[in-house]
Amino acid sequence: MRVHVADHPLITHKLTVLRNKKTSSPTFRALTEELVTLLAYEATRGVRTQPVQIETPVTTTTGLEISSPRPLVVPILRAGLGMLDGMVKLLPTAEVGFLGMVRDDETLQPMTYAERLPDDLSNRQCFVLDPMLATGGSLGAAIQFLIKRGAVDVTAVCILGAPEGLERLERETEGLDVTIVLGALDEKLDENGYIVPGLGDAGDRLYGLV
């Protein structure tokens, strides 16, 4: 498992505003989209391409285009939806699937309640969107889900991560081609499984309490 923590002043600045409990939901959503576009730039460094010949106004040259099969972007519902626009803005040719997962507040274990994905992901690159890598349960289950469908490599894009979640993912994805891209690696998890200092519940801050 490869881990990349983005180190850029614009990312840190946007994260600072997201962490602030006074930041409103509209501002939180807008900044999340901007931040994810910056993270997507890092996450797509290894996206597959193939050479293509084009004609410029001056001559013929060879460039690159995204290879087939197209990458698949998979937001984990519901909070991952807030990251989708920022990702597809940078990768507009990607297909989009959905995976609904929720964490049991007592056991902290993930439960899958919905999925809309191709039955066969053979030879596909997948980008999973999940704002918070806390215990690692939901993200680990999502990665295993995609691998079992045939995905060959998976990149997870997260706004924040905790060391406990990274350690769990490393154990559960041993031998698999997995990359984790984080906006920041925070200090720890608290007794309720929330990231410290974190930014609270990303889903609630994006869309309000339900």
Side-chain angles (χ1 to χ4, degrees):
M1 188 180 82
R2 296 172 297 277
V3 179
H4 176 74
V5 180
D7 181 18
H8 194 286
L10 284 179
I11 291 176
T12 303
H13 164 69
K14 294 179 190 300
L15 270 174
T16 300
V17 181
L18 290 180
R19 291 183 192 274
N20 191 333
K21 66 180 183 179
K22 296 181 180 179
T23 298
S24 65
S25 287
T27 301
F28 194 96
R29 287 194 294 268
L31 281 175
T32 296
E33 179 178 336
E34 294 173 8
L35 176 58
V36 172
T37 299
L38 294 174
L39 295 178
Y41 180 80
E42 300 293 340
T44 54
R45 286 184 181 275
V47 70
R48 293 179 189 163
T49 59
Q50 60 190 25
V52 59
Q53 192 173 66
I54 62 170
E55 290 187 11
T56 76
V58 179
T59 187
T60 299
T61 189
T62 299
L64 295 175
E65 65 180 6
I66 303 297
S67 300
S68 295
R70 290 180 290 168
L72 180 70
V73 176
V74 183
I76 298 180
L77 305 178
R78 71 177 166 135
L81 280 178
M83 303 173 68
L84 181 58
D85 287 347
M87 187 73 186
V88 297
K89 182 178 291 186
L90 198 67
L91 200 62
T93 60
E95 293 183 340
V96 178
F98 298 94
L99 190 57
M101 307 192 78
V102 64
R103 186 178 69 171
D104 187 296
D105 288 335
E106 294 184 1
T107 66
L108 302 183
Q109 297 303 309
M111 299 182 296
T112 302
Y113 65 86
E115 65 96 354
R116 186 68 174 176
L117 297 166
D119 291 332
D120 185 6
L121 295 176
S122 298
N123 204 34
R124 296 291 290 268
Q125 282 185 302
C126 296
F127 295 89
V128 182
L129 308 180
D130 192 8
M132 312 297 283
L133 170 53
T135 65
S138 296
L139 187 55
I143 292 172
Q144 294 289 351
F145 195 101
L146 297 172
I147 295 292
K148 288 178 181 177
R149 289 261 176 120
V152 292
D153 69 81
V154 178
T155 297
V157 182
C158 306
I159 294 174
L160 294 178
E164 296 90 334
L166 281 179
E167 291 172 5
R168 177 173 178 172
L169 281 183
E170 190 165 15
R171 293 194 305 269
E172 294 183 355
T173 62
E174 185 177 359
L176 302 178
D177 192 356
V178 174
T179 301
I180 311 296
V181 177
L182 301 174
L185 179 60
D186 275 8
E187 180 184 342
K188 62 179 181 179
L189 297 180
D190 66 12
E191 62 276 9
N192 297 313
Y194 285 95
I195 299 175
V196 178
L199 50 75
D201 186 295
D204 288 346
R205 298 200 63 192
L206 282 163
Y207 304 118
L209 296 172
V210 294

